[in-house]
Amino acid sequence: MCHLLAENMEQQAIISDQIKSVGRVSVLIARPVTKPYDYLSNGIDLQIGDIVQVPFVNRMCIGVVVASVASDVANQKLKFVSDKYGEHRIPVAMLDFISRVASYNMIPLGAVLKMVLNVPEIFKFSDKIELFVQSETSCLKNFRITPSRKLVLDALAKNGPQTSVQIKGDTGVGSGVIKGLLSCGVIQKQFVADNFTPQPLGALDKNFVELNDEQATAVKSLINVTRENKFSVSLIDGVTGSGKTEVYFEVIAEVLKKGLQVLILVPEIALARPFIERFSKRFGAAPVEWHSELPTKKRRRIWRAILEGEVNVLVGARSALFLPFRNLGLLVVDEEHESAFKQMEGPRYHARDMSILRAKCSDIPIILASATPSLETLHNSETGRFRKVSLSQRYGEASLPKVVLIDIRSNENRNGSWISPVLQKAIHATIEREEQVLLFLNRRGYAPLNICKVCGHRNECPSCSAWLVEHRSKSRLQCHHCGYKIKVPTCCPECGAEDSLIAAGPGVERIEEEVGQMFPDARVGIASSDTLSNGAALINFLQLVRQREIEIIIGTQVIAKGHHFPLITCVGVLDADLGLAGGDLRAAEKTYQMLHQVAGRAGREDKVGKVWLQTRQPDNPLMQALSNWDRESFLQLEKQARSEAAMPPFGRLVSLIISSKKEIEADQIARLLAASAPSTPRAQILGPAPSALAFLRGRHRRRLLVKADKNLNVQKMISDWLDGLKIRGSAKVEIDIDPQSFA
Ligand code: ADP
Ligand code: ZN
């Protein structure tokens, strides 16, 4: 894609002069368009980055001025810009970022802008607060003072303009009294802008924690890097509980002192509550949060405040990356290895990689933090592209827990339960010591499969190639891909046998049942996305754990990461092999990261922890590495395997997903694409093959995998290849650059 946007401010000044004389501008619209369109500026003084409203295909659309134009379209054919939003512009570095995100991920330019302008009704100016004040005119007819009216007038005289809620709160009068005063003209309405002002941070200089030597060295080195005020990537590679967060907090404080803005990306904002509490403790106020649960109006107010440069620190999930900061000084990506950073629906992109791009466009430093960095990031730090600081010790007295492998194939460990006798004993001892247990199973619901014991029928989702998961607590069968749910049938839908459906395999609910039988007196709590569906539920749960109201947590990944529970000294992983099934490229890496994180929950303070991994493959090098806390040996093996197969990070992958409501159509297009694949020694095209989820939400899916040399311009190759491909009917080709999974 050509570089559409101005490179720097100087150029911007020249271009904006031209805009005035030519009177036409190029506007990128926030819809999935691939290029900007020309408009007449209509006498409005426009500059690059201005947010405008323009007519486009019979409706008003929002867009951004990206350049002046000298195209040869006749003026008569052009439409006029109809409105301009406020005085604040989208910064040029941001426009550059938009353009690069679009070309790297092969997303239409306008679709990326749409993620930037992802606030409802930006042009709605009426976010105003209604206040009441005493009128200037003093002598009024028809006015009769009553005790309630007097209360209101006195309150206004004392406090100045107030909202009706404040007045009612102060005086105890009802709305009628305010209305009455208004109709007599004794008080009147006044409107003020409802601006969002974040709580001011304090204590930038105050370091409440005493850093240990390793932490101090890390902080010093990172602060030196940020002082350079230019693009660089640093990795904090530190074991769980080593204080990575404390370290980057100190760097954040340094950047804030310079008056710059800081953006912290976390994998899931719903899980960031403890983080926000810690931040508030360190900085005296909470950071601004950005997530999908924000009410519309608040979202708009925060967005505007960011555009106006009012927000110092923001923490958010991947979409926060597209907020229009004016003065960004530092980006932090916490748990950089997390797959939640990959956006899988709609425009696909990897937020960690795009953060690095954003730091580059803004020429600022970025910090990645993890206890189990991705192979990509480690590779980049080995080749010197990223700097690395290491924290090898847990903070304070805490030591890493001992990891024990339990071979669940052996006789002694087979007792017909999901919890082996060894683990059962360990749980018992832990409760006796008045400490806590975490049992980890990354499976929601009661059972992953519901099967008829008479005919063997399995209940499947009608729209996906997936079994329905039994949720006994709600007596439902549910598809975890599309959300389809039905009541658990009383007889088999296939053979009609009554009460014949049985659960196969365990989910967390079933483990809860078993724990209840083994330890009838223990206080047990399930932590999964079903039970902790929002921030409030999570806070509540964490509180119960902290107060030891819960002794045994049975949790999926929602509880496995980042949390700090001092009393958890026993972690049991019920099925350590779970993530290894299926042929995903990253299965081993992801499993290692997940189990390493889970194990990292044990013994985080002075009490020694122990981790039990139930596995069928105790000799697997991955299990061996976990049991010895020997990350390096696992990484060496994994790297070697990837390098031999020229897989990432040693080669590149792009996935093309062809989908259609009609199976035959999906197959045809997939074959057609494969037949017209470019032939080059620098790329191999594999497939077509049914994708891991061959049927999803009613669509049949096929996949082609492009495996290319690291420095091949694979985007260009693919766009040449797909150019001219005619797709009819319900078919669709989606491009996934650097896919994280083969689903
Ligand atoms: P990580 O992010 O590496 O897992 P954290 O930053 O969560 O580690 O630190 C683990 C625990 O140790 C937290 O409770 C944190 O407050 C505490 N901690 C870390 N460093 C210090 C320090 N220098 N002084 C006091 N407490 C610390
Ligand atoms: Zn489904």
Side-chain angles (χ1 to χ4, degrees), residues 704-716:
L704 287 164
L705 196 60
V706 180
K707 195 174 145 207
D709 277 9
K710 196 134 193 216
N711 5 352
L712 177 69
N713 183 343
V714 56
Q715 286 88 351
K716 171 151 189 348

Side-chain angles (χ1 to χ4, degrees), residues 207 209-213 215-216 219 246-247 250 395:
N207 187 350
V209 300
E210 203 173 314
L211 301 174
N212 63 25
D213 288 349
Q215 292 174 334
V219 168
E246 305 294 341
V247 165
E250 294 318 303
Y395 176 74

Side-chain angles (χ1 to χ4, degrees), residues 227-465:
R227 284 218 178 105
E228 291 171 15
N229 276 334
K230 59 180 207 265
F231 171 66
S232 65
V233 189
S234 307
L235 165 68
I236 308 179
D237 180 0
V239 297
T240 50
S242 58
K244 294 182 287 295
T245 319
E246 305 294 341
V247 165
Y248 71 68
F249 275 178
E250 294 318 303
V251 187
I252 289 177
E254 243 352 86
V255 173
L256 290 174
K257 276 189 223 159
K258 290 191 269 187
L260 299 172
Q261 297 167 304
V262 178
L263 168 60
I264 307 166
L265 289 189
V266 294
E268 270 171 81
I269 193 85
L271 306 183
R273 197 53 39 202
F275 171 87
I276 287 165
E277 280 169 20
R278 268 173 81 180
F279 184 96
S280 310
K281 251 196 216 147
R282 167 66 181 82
F283 291 99
V288 177
E289 289 172 57
W290 183 260
H291 53 84
S292 55
E293 276 179 36
L294 284 179
T296 306
K297 195 166 156 194
K298 184 151 191 204
R299 203 177 168 81
R300 191 159 55 222
R301 290 167 66 225
I302 293 179
W303 193 87
R304 283 183 191 152
I306 290 167
L307 186 67
E308 288 162 18
E310 295 293 323
V311 171
N312 299 324
V313 184
L314 184 132
V315 52
R318 53 184 184 244
S319 66
L321 184 57
F322 294 95
L323 289 169
F325 292 96
R326 318 192 58 71
N327 231 347
L328 207 52
L330 175 69
L331 262 155
V332 177
V333 182
D334 203 359
E335 309 290 357
E336 69 86 30
H337 63 276
E338 273 291 333
S339 44
F341 283 123
K342 175 85 184 192
Q343 163 92 21
M344 298 287 282
E345 313 252 306
R348 290 170 192 246
Y349 64 89
H350 199 302
R352 182 238 299 134
D353 297 346
M354 294 306 109
S355 302
I356 295 171
L357 190 60
R358 173 127 199 214
K360 189 154 197 220
C361 292
S362 302
D363 203 16
I364 57 168
I366 173 167
I367 296 176
L368 312 177
S370 173
T372 49
S374 61
L375 279 183
E376 274 81 357
T377 295
L378 286 172
H379 185 67
N380 279 323
S381 70
E382 275 156 26
T383 55
R385 290 183 62 209
F386 297 178
R387 305 174 210 220
K388 180 165 115 170
V389 296
S390 302
L391 300 174
S392 59
Q393 307 286 325
R394 280 196 155 180
Y395 176 74
E397 300 295 301
S399 55
L400 288 170
K402 185 166 161 26
V403 181
V404 183
L405 301 177
I406 303 176
D407 185 349
I408 46 173
R409 295 166 310 178
S410 75
N411 283 335
E412 67 204 277
N413 288 323
R414 272 198 303 212
N415 59 346
S417 352
W418 312 110
I419 298 171
S420 61
V422 195
L423 180 55
Q424 186 177 348
K425 235 196 236 154
I427 298 172
H428 181 78
T430 311
I431 301 177
E432 289 285 290
R433 290 195 308 270
E434 303 196 336
E435 292 166 0
Q436 288 165 306
V437 179
L438 168 64
L439 296 180
F440 175 76
L441 177 65
N442 205 16
R443 239 195 221 140
R444 298 157 50 200
Y446 184 83
L449 190 64
N450 188 271
I451 192 167
C452 170
K453 66 181 176 204
V454 177
C455 75
H457 172 76
R458 298 165 169 214
N459 282 303
E460 202 176 348
C461 175
S463 320
C464 305
S465 41

Side-chain angles (χ1 to χ4, degrees), residues 145-221:
I145 190 85
T146 63
S148 323
R149 286 180 167 183
K150 183 163 185 326
L151 275 178
V152 174
L153 293 177
D154 287 348
L156 289 181
K158 188 167 133 231
N159 305 327
Q162 283 195 299
T163 63
S164 77
V165 174
Q166 287 167 328
I167 297 175
K168 287 188 263 181
D170 268 9
T171 61
V173 306
S175 306
V177 179
I178 300 175
K179 270 196 199 131
L181 285 167
L182 204 59
S183 66
C184 299
V186 184
I187 63 171
Q188 63 190 47
K189 286 183 188 174
Q190 189 182 64
F191 292 92
V192 293
D194 185 11
N195 288 337
F196 174 80
T197 346
Q199 285 173 283
L201 301 176
L204 292 188
D205 269 326
K206 229 198 229 123
N207 187 350
F208 294 102
V209 300
E210 203 173 314
L211 301 174
N212 63 25
D213 288 349
E214 222 180 17
Q215 292 174 334
T217 312
V219 168
K220 202 164 153 212
S221 132

Side-chain angles (χ1 to χ4, degrees), residues 461-464 466 468 479-484 696-697:
C461 175
S463 320
C464 305
L468 292 177
C479 171
H480 283 185
H481 298 285
C482 72
Y484 171 85
L696 180 67
R697 297 193 185 94

